[in-house]
């Protein structure tokens, strides 16, 4: 899934920084010299949950949106993350669905940043 989604994103023109574990993803975020536009994570990870990873990433980048993908239903996933910047995409998905969710998530993230800046 990681490789296939990475290829889909690359074909859309996105810069992909893959991580095969929550720990590696969090390390990449901590070492980043600039904010990521959109972390995309599965809900089920080998050593953590996507919700745990999402919360950790949002501690580093509070204004960022997070896109979750899962074979589980949205209500199960979103009940764990009550943040306005959380998006969900049901697996299996097609390229157009992924593109739409990415665009909406980045737009939400930009809106959150504008709101937080104006407060």
């Amino acid at each position: 899934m990681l490789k296939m989604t990475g290829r889909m994103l690359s074909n859309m023109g996105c810069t992909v920084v893959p991580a095969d574990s929550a720990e590696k993803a969090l390390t990449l975020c901590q070492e980043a010299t600039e904010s990521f536009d959109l972390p995309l994570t599965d809900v089920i990870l080998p050593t953590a949950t996507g919700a745990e990873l999402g919360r950790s990433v949002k501690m580093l980048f509070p204004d960022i949106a997070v896109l979750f993908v899962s074979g589980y239903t949205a209500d199960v996933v979103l009940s764990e993350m009550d943040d306005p910047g959380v998006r969900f995409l049901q697996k299996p998905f097609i390229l157009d669905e992924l593109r739409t969710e990415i665009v909406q998530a980045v737009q939400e993230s930009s809106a959150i940043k504008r709101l937080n800046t104006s407060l």
Side-chain angles (χ1 to χ4, degrees), residues 28-42:
L28 288 167
C29 288
Q30 290 168 333
E31 294 174 352
T33 56
E34 57 187 63
S35 176
F36 290 91
D37 291 323
L38 179 69
L40 184 147
T41 182
D42 203 314

Side-chain angles (χ1 to χ4, degrees), residues 56-99:
S56 296
V57 170
K58 289 196 67 76
M59 288 176 64
L60 295 169
F61 307 110
D63 300 332
I64 202 164
V66 178
L67 176 57
F68 289 96
V69 296
S70 180
Y72 292 100
T73 60
D75 58 333
V76 171
V77 175
L78 298 177
S79 67
E80 293 201 33
M81 293 285 294
D82 60 350
D83 187 285
V86 171
R87 305 284 311 171
F88 176 77
L89 181 59
Q90 180 82 40
K91 291 191 292 187
F93 52 83
I94 60 173
L95 183 61
D96 286 340
E97 293 170 324
L98 179 60
R99 180 180 292 114

Side-chain angles (χ1 to χ4, degrees), residues 41-58:
T41 182
D42 203 314
V43 173
I44 305 298
L45 301 170
T47 59
T49 68
E52 292 168 336
L53 176 59
R55 281 190 286 274
S56 296
V57 170
K58 289 196 67 76

Side-chain angles (χ1 to χ4, degrees), residues 63 84 109-119:
D63 300 332
S109 182
S110 296
I112 294 167
K113 287 177 187 172
R114 285 191 304 275
L115 176 65
N116 288 342
T117 302
S118 66
L119 295 179

